[in-house]
Amino acid sequence: MSTHDTIPDLEERLRAALSARAELVQPEDLEPLAAPVVELRPAWRSPWVLLATAAVLLLVLGVVAQGIGGRPRSDDDLAPQPDAPRVTLPADVGRDWATGLESTPARVDLDGDGTKERVRFLAEDNGTFDGRVRLQTTLSSTGDEAYGVADVASTIGLVGEGVIDADGDGDQELVVYDPSLEDGLAGAPLVFDHRDGLLVQAVADEPDLLRRGDVQVPGSETAFYDRYRTYQYWIDGGTLYSGQSRDSFARAGDYSTQLPGTLLDTWAWRLDEDGVLHPEPAGCKEQVFDVQDCGPGSGDQVPDLTPATDAVGADEVDGVDGDALRAATDVPDPRVAVVQPESMFLDGEALVVTSATDPTRVQLLVQREDGIVALDPVGEVPLGDTDDNRTWLTAAGQVVTATPVEDGTWQLWYWHAVRGDRVVALPAVTVGQNRLP
């Protein structure tokens, strides 16, 4: 008998055995299950499903509302801002540095307990008197040490310029003056805030607005002069302020057309919880000898334009050879002003020559050891006196040219001697027709 022949017989025997065992089980042998049967509920009635469904609905409603009334979102809304200022915590270095040369400890209530801490300035000795400075103190409220470290342009003469409460938390921040080595820029304030035992240096959101000095206007440089704006900062009533001149001013070397009474756009600086200083507009101020509120007439300063009228002949100028003077000028019938121009800044006599017969002619001469030299006028306006290019010498010694502007005012130009026996007119203020002589 083969293996295939035995399979039907084996199946029959198994069916018979299973049937026999089933017949042995009676109804009384069956018992309920140990755990009660739980009624199944639809999936939508599950609390977790309900919560998830509600969350999805809120999300959808938010997207719809934003699409209807809000602005479209972009990747920039979620992306990190790489240009945002960030505060750097100071490293614990400089414990063994000595007190900075000619530096004076500052007094400031860093922890808000009403007692001022004494902050010392310890300077890094690198042989060049620049680099890092450590601010070191002991907190009066706890007796714990607090310190800060900053890079400065000079470690000599470090002092506290004042104290402020820029974050309104009741304690004080220390303001330290940091001089600048850049041309024209006097420096900027360093602000230190006490945070958990560290004197953290705040960073300005717009540092170009928080500085002191004269800063060149980008793109203003010409062959003979450039333009600059004046920046200033100060502390008043526990608040740090800064200002920028509304107007820019022309300069050539050390000579400038800026007048006393400069109008400033100003800002008050607030410190946020991240240690960043933010500017808030604070209105108009006027800088004369100090900074004061703007009032009626602020910014209306105009130089004295009264003309110098006295003149003498070529042979009547003290200390000047008449023949040499006539040889140096091509002005017919020369007349020499008695008042000497103050803006030439050259050795020897400086002379303003006009003509007794041709009122349009004006010439500037300077006396040298080897004789008298006529200065060559260069720049944007001619040196002459006509209806639309009026030129005269003021009683204060300023050679002025006035040219008309489309709005009806007149642009003033101040003449100033530059290298190469040349003289150039620098733009100054604009004035009304009634201000001209």
Side-chain angles (χ1 to χ4, degrees):
M1 185 174 57
S2 68
T3 304
H4 294 287
D5 294 335
T6 62
I7 291 177
D9 183 56
L10 180 58
E11 289 178 353
E12 290 296 326
R13 293 173 58 188
L14 286 174
R15 287 193 182 98
L18 290 174
S19 298
R21 295 195 60 178
E23 292 175 356
L24 295 176
V25 180
Q26 303 297 318
E28 60 268 20
D29 295 326
L30 299 176
E31 297 181 3
L33 296 174
V37 177
V38 179
E39 179 186 2
L40 296 179
R41 56 187 169 188
W44 62 268
R45 293 176 57 186
S46 170
W48 300 111
V49 175
L50 291 174
L51 287 174
T53 304
V56 172
L57 287 174
L58 288 175
L59 179 60
V60 172
L61 288 174
V63 172
V64 172
Q66 185 180 32
I68 296 175
R71 65 177 180 85
R73 296 183 64 183
S74 66
D75 293 339
D76 293 338
D77 296 327
L78 302 177
Q81 302 299 319
D83 296 334
R86 293 187 178 182
V87 172
T88 301
L89 298 181
D92 189 4
V93 296
R95 290 178 174 271
D96 57 345
W97 294 346
T99 300
L101 186 65
E102 299 182 10
S103 296
T104 303
R107 295 284 185 175
V108 53
D109 183 11
L110 294 168
D111 51 11
D113 66 348
T115 300
K116 292 185 176 182
E117 280 76 27
R118 180 175 181 268
V119 180
R120 296 183 299 135
F121 301 101
L122 309 180
E124 182 179 19
D125 184 10
N126 59 5
T128 59
F129 300 105
D130 61 0
R132 294 177 296 178
V133 62
R134 179 185 176 98
L135 288 74
Q136 183 74 45
T137 191
T138 300
L139 299 176
S140 59
S141 59
T142 63
D144 294 334
E145 172 191 89
Y147 69 90
V149 177
D151 290 311
V152 293
S154 174
T155 59
I156 300 176
L158 288 167
V159 296
E161 260 197 306
V163 296
I164 59 176
D165 185 10
D167 53 7
D169 61 357
D171 59 25
Q172 295 176 335
E173 293 86 48
L174 175 62
V175 181
V176 178
Y177 172 65
D178 182 28
S180 174
L181 301 181
E182 297 181 26
D183 291 340
L185 191 61
L190 306 180
V191 178
F192 295 92
D193 182 30
H194 171 242
R195 300 192 175 199
D196 298 327
L198 299 177
L199 301 185
V200 179
Q201 181 182 344
V203 294
D205 184 29
E206 298 186 52
D208 287 348
L209 298 180
L210 187 56
R211 49 187 174 176
R212 178 183 291 159
D214 299 332
V215 181
Q216 184 185 66
V217 176
S220 68
E221 189 172 7
T222 71
F224 305 105
Y225 68 87
D226 68 351
R227 302 187 73 94
Y228 69 91
R229 291 186 186 275
T230 293
Y231 291 82
Q232 184 61 272
Y233 72 85
W234 64 96
I235 298 171
D236 185 16
T239 299
L240 178 63
Y241 293 92
S242 69
Q244 169 189 277
S245 63
R246 289 184 175 178
D247 296 325
S248 61
F249 312 100
R251 64 183 173 186
D254 295 330
Y255 179 74
S256 167
T257 62
Q258 183 176 3
L259 295 173
T262 301
L263 293 186
L264 305 175
D265 289 321
T266 67
W267 297 269
W269 292 83
R270 307 301 180 191
L271 184 65
D272 68 16
E273 61 183 7
D274 295 322
V276 178
L277 288 164
H278 300 278
E280 297 179 356
C284 172
K285 298 288 184 180
E286 184 179 23
Q287 180 178 353
V288 186
F289 298 105
D290 56 2
V291 178
Q292 57 197 31
D293 291 335
C294 290
S298 293
D300 290 340
Q301 290 81 359
V302 175
D304 185 0
L305 300 177
T306 303
T309 57
D310 293 338
V312 297
D315 295 320
E316 302 173 81
V317 182
D318 292 338
V320 176
D321 180 82
D323 292 335
L325 191 153
R326 279 185 288 268
T329 182
D330 59 0
V331 174
D333 301 320
R335 300 286 291 175
V336 181
V338 173
V339 174
Q340 180 174 334
E342 298 295 334
S343 58
M344 298 302 103
F345 295 106
L346 296 173
D347 295 335
E349 295 289 332
L351 308 172
V352 177
V353 180
T354 57
S355 172
T357 56
D358 185 354
T360 66
R361 296 297 305 275
V362 180
Q363 193 171 39
L364 299 177
L365 308 179
V366 293
Q367 187 178 33
R368 301 282 175 77
E369 292 182 357
D370 54 352
I372 299 176
V373 176
L375 298 179
D376 180 24
V378 294
E380 300 159 75
V381 297
L383 181 60
D385 189 16
T386 62
D387 290 342
D388 60 356
N389 195 89
R390 300 181 57 183
T391 300
W392 69 98
L393 174 66
T394 71
Q398 179 69 61
V399 181
V400 179
T401 291
T403 57
V405 184
E406 290 183 357
D407 63 2
T409 61
W410 287 73
Q411 173 71 59
L412 298 184
W413 302 78
Y414 296 165
W415 290 91
H416 176 69
V418 293
R419 293 180 180 179
D421 291 334
R422 295 177 297 181
V423 62
V424 63
L426 276 65
V429 297
T430 58
V431 298
Q433 172 76 42
N434 63 328
R435 297 291 186 96
L436 299 181

